[in-house]
């Protein structure tokens, strides 16, 4: 994104290689000492670093400060925050009522989570949004491209064609601007998300979809003993996603399964996978459930600034509608 203030170095810093005074041998030494990511550098002590790696304290300090600046770990004025918020745009979902619930659509610079049981409409909303974001601005789109990370083999180009043609759009053009990654494991999923950053850097990616965010994590880290490890990895992954959203002013849309809560009698009897980790990091969480026929109910949960509410939308031949 342009026009961002950075206290150190104005260039975009996305990985440890981009920090000042980095060369191949320094990178190797850092990696051997366990400093592999910008986060590792941002929380490092320059004195320790210079001892361990043999850099001057001055250079080590510069690296650490640049890493912090790149990760926006310093303060910003409220005015700067507001200016950045001014750049937020919204992707229509296809349902006016669902858009209203979301304050106008799926927001850029944020992570929106759709959670709900099987066939509640998560994947359908993802497909529809992948078309909507590409529409011209006068039709409510952002004229942007899409990265779609599919973990459940449910991405269907045929469905994209159906939705696009229903709007009278050239479906082949729409398909060309969706980059699909089929994730094979949670590690692969994390890697694809990082790669999405590279694509976003030189492409006009405005929507990043992960359908589903949690399925691999859930199956690979089954059982209590692996829970902490799973949450830590998921935490880092979601953190990466938020960084992409901020850096490229794009919307991140993730889907999540629900678990039955055995101890609940009144209120919600299901909860999203991932618990607090995801709850704290997703800006908007939408709980979807089935209603009669092709109707679905969406409820906005725990939004930082939008009122909680519920609305009905439908899934049809042409995708999502009112
Ligand atoms: P999930 O929440 O499991 O991802 P989906 O988003 O895949 O669920 O939603 C599945 C629902 O969408 C099903 O009820 C199905 O009937 C409906 N659906 C899928 N494709 C079409 C279509 N081409 N026309 C009408 N309804 C469809
Ligand atoms: Mg699905």
């Amino acid at each position: 994104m342009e026009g961002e203030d950075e206290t150190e170095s104005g260039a975009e810093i996305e990985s440890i290689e981009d920090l000042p005074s980095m060369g191949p041998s320094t990178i190797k030494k850092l990696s051997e000492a366990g400093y592999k990511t910008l986060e590792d550098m941002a929380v490092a002590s320059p004195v320790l670093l210079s001892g361990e790696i043999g850099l001057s304290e001055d250079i080590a300090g510069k690296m650490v400060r640049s890493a912090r600046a790149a990760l926006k770990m310093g303060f910003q004025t409220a005015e700067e925050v507001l200016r950045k918020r001014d750049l937020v745009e919204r992707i229509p979902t296809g349902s006016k009522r669902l858009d209203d619930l979301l304050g106008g659509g799926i927001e850029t610079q944020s992570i929106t989570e759709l959670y709900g049981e099987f066939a509640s409409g998560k994947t359908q909303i993802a497909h529809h949004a992948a078309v909507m974001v590409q529409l011209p601005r006068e039709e409510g789109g952002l004229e942007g491209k899409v990265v779609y990370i599919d973990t459940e083999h449910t991405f269907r180009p045929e469905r994209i064609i159906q939705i696009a043609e229903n709007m009278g759009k050239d479906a082949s053009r729409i398909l060309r601007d969706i980059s699909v990654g089929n994730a094979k494991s949670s590690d692969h999923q994390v890697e694809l998300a990082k790669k999405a950053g590279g694509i976003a850097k030189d492409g006009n990616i405005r929507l990043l979809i992960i359908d589903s965010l949690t399925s691999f994590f859930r199956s690979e880290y089954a059982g209590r003993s692996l829970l902490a490890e799973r949450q830590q990895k998921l935490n880092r992954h979601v953190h990466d996603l938020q960084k992409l959203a901020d850096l490229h002013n794009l919307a991140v849309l993730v889907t999540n399964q629900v678990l039955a809560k055995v101890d609940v009698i009144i209120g919600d009897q299901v909860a999203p996978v991932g618990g607090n980790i995801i709850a704290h990091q997703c800006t908007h969480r939408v709980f979807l459930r089935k209603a009669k026929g092709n109707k679905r109910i969406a409820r906005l949960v725990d939004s930082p600034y939008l009122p909680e509410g519920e609305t009905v939308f439908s899934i049809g031949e042409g995708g999502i509608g009112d």
Side-chain angles (χ1 to χ4, degrees):
M1 202 169 48
E2 278 159 29
E4 295 205 273
D5 298 325
E6 282 189 359
T7 48
E8 303 272 329
S9 155
E12 260 183 30
I13 293 176
E14 291 183 340
S15 73
I16 203 159
E17 286 88 2
D18 304 328
L19 293 174
S21 314
M22 275 298 172
S25 78
T26 309
I27 291 169
K28 186 158 172 282
K29 276 190 235 166
L30 283 167
S31 169
E32 282 162 5
Y35 300 98
K36 293 181 179 163
T37 65
L38 279 182
E39 281 84 0
D40 297 334
M41 293 300 285
V43 298
S45 136
V47 177
L48 278 182
L49 204 58
S50 82
E52 278 179 282
I53 312 297
L55 299 165
S56 78
E57 266 183 49
D58 185 39
I59 289 191
K62 266 199 190 117
M63 289 176 175
V64 170
R65 283 196 303 278
S66 298
R68 285 181 190 159
L71 296 175
K72 306 272 181 298
M73 287 169 77
F75 286 100
Q76 287 178 293
T77 65
E79 195 192 8
E80 281 167 341
V81 176
L82 182 65
R83 210 161 49 208
K84 190 160 168 247
R85 289 284 311 161
D86 281 345
L87 299 175
V88 167
E89 294 184 283
R90 291 177 178 81
I91 303 165
T93 60
S95 156
K96 181 79 181 60
R97 281 193 237 143
L98 186 53
D99 291 349
D100 289 344
L101 186 75
L102 291 169
I106 303 162
E107 247 186 29
T108 64
Q109 297 180 27
S110 291
I111 303 176
T112 300
E113 176 195 358
L114 307 171
Y115 70 95
E117 61 176 325
F118 171 74
S120 58
K122 305 181 292 293
T123 298
Q124 296 305 312
I125 294 177
H127 278 70
H128 202 103
V131 176
M132 294 302 280
V133 70
Q134 300 192 38
L135 296 184
R137 288 185 183 275
E138 56 274 20
E139 293 170 38
L142 306 187
E143 298 173 7
K145 300 181 186 178
V146 183
V147 171
Y148 199 120
I149 299 177
D150 183 15
T151 76
E152 298 182 327
H153 287 283
T154 51
F155 175 77
R156 293 285 177 279
E158 300 84 349
R159 188 65 176 128
I160 296 289
I161 293 172
Q162 210 175 20
I163 295 168
E165 287 184 345
N166 194 272
M167 293 178 201
K169 297 293 161 192
D170 174 4
S172 59
R173 232 221 62 230
I174 303 262
L175 286 176
R176 249 195 326 267
D177 286 339
I178 305 176
S179 303
V180 184
N182 283 303
K184 307 282 187 246
S185 66
S186 64
D187 278 317
H188 189 210
Q189 177 182 330
V190 167
E191 202 175 297
L192 286 171
K194 289 189 198 292
K195 282 210 179 107
I199 302 176
K201 211 157 117 184
D202 31 53
N204 174 33
I205 304 292
R206 304 308 306 280
L207 175 62
L208 168 60
I209 292 165
I210 305 192
D211 183 21
S212 120
L213 177 69
T214 49
S215 52
F216 281 124
F217 287 87
R218 192 177 165 193
S219 60
E220 291 169 24
Y221 296 81
R224 285 226 156 261
S225 61
L226 296 172
L227 193 62
E229 199 184 325
R230 180 188 88 179
Q231 293 300 80
Q232 209 171 52
K233 191 167 160 190
L234 198 50
N235 184 23
R236 274 200 300 269
H237 182 40
V238 179
H239 193 90
D240 286 346
L241 297 176
Q242 182 61 56
K243 261 176 16 202
L244 289 177
D246 286 337
L247 196 60
H248 305 289
N249 193 17
L250 57 80
V252 175
L253 181 67
V254 302
T255 69
N256 195 358
Q257 300 152 315
V258 289
L259 295 172
K261 282 199 271 188
V262 288
D263 51 347
V264 174
I265 297 162
I266 301 168
D268 286 348
Q269 303 196 0
V270 291
V273 176
N276 288 335
I277 291 290
I278 301 183
H280 291 145
Q281 294 189 62
C282 291
T283 322
H284 302 296
R285 319 190 84 193
V286 183
F287 175 44
L288 301 175
R289 59 188 203 274
K290 288 186 256 188
K292 256 202 187 131
N294 67 347
K295 296 289 179 200
R296 298 290 184 275
I297 299 163
R299 173 145 52 96
L300 189 68
V301 182
D302 295 337
S303 170
Y305 54 84
L306 295 170
E308 289 211 5
E310 249 185 25
T311 193
V312 179
F313 67 95
S314 66
I315 307 174
E317 178 85 16
I320 304 299
D322 277 321

